[in-house]
Amino acid sequence: MGDLLGIVDIFVIGSGTSKRQVRTMIEEVNLRLGRRGRKPLRTEGLDTGEWVLADYGDLVVHIFQTGARDFYALDRLWGDAPRLQWAPDPRD
C-alpha cells in the first residue's frame, strides 16, 4: 500500500456478520497487537459496528459487516495493491 497510498503500508480488510462480531474482531486485533506494544492511534465506527477502522499508523485495520464491505468495495478500490499471505503467529 505504501507505493499506492503513501501514508500507510498495510491495509487489513475483514468482515463479520453482526455488530457484535465486528466489535469482537476489532477488540481481538487490538488485544493481540497490544501484546506487541502496538496501540491504535485512533479507532472509528465502534458506535455503529457497521465499519470499524483501527489506525496504527503504518497499518490500518478495517472490519466491516458483510453488506457494508460489499457496498464500500475496498477490495476493488485497492485491487492493484500487492497482497500478502497471512499465517497465524504461533505465539498467539
Side-chain angles (χ1 to χ4, degrees):
M1 294 300 305
D3 292 339
L4 294 173
L5 191 55
I7 58 172
V8 64
D9 292 331
I10 298 174
F11 268 6
V12 174
I13 303 172
S15 52
T17 57
S18 67
K19 177 180 179 176
R20 173 178 248 162
Q21 190 176 48
V22 167
R23 290 180 66 130
T24 300
M25 291 169 72
I26 205 70
E27 288 169 2
E28 188 68 18
V29 168
N30 290 335
L31 176 71
R32 290 181 187 218
L33 288 175
R35 290 179 186 153
R36 290 173 175 73
R38 303 284 307 262
K39 301 283 185 213
L41 302 173
R42 67 191 58 82
T43 300
E44 298 181 21
L46 283 173
D47 52 332
T48 65
E50 185 176 350
W51 174 4
V52 179
L53 179 146
D55 180 357
Y56 288 87
D58 61 339
L59 165 70
V60 175
V61 178
H62 301 269
I63 307 291
F64 293 91
Q65 284 191 42
T66 308
R69 183 172 180 171
D70 293 342
F71 179 80
Y72 290 105
L74 291 186
D75 305 76
R76 284 194 308 266
L77 180 64
W78 298 108
D80 292 339
R83 297 193 181 241
L84 302 174
Q85 292 299 314
W86 177 82
D89 189 324
R91 297 176 289 178
D92 291 329

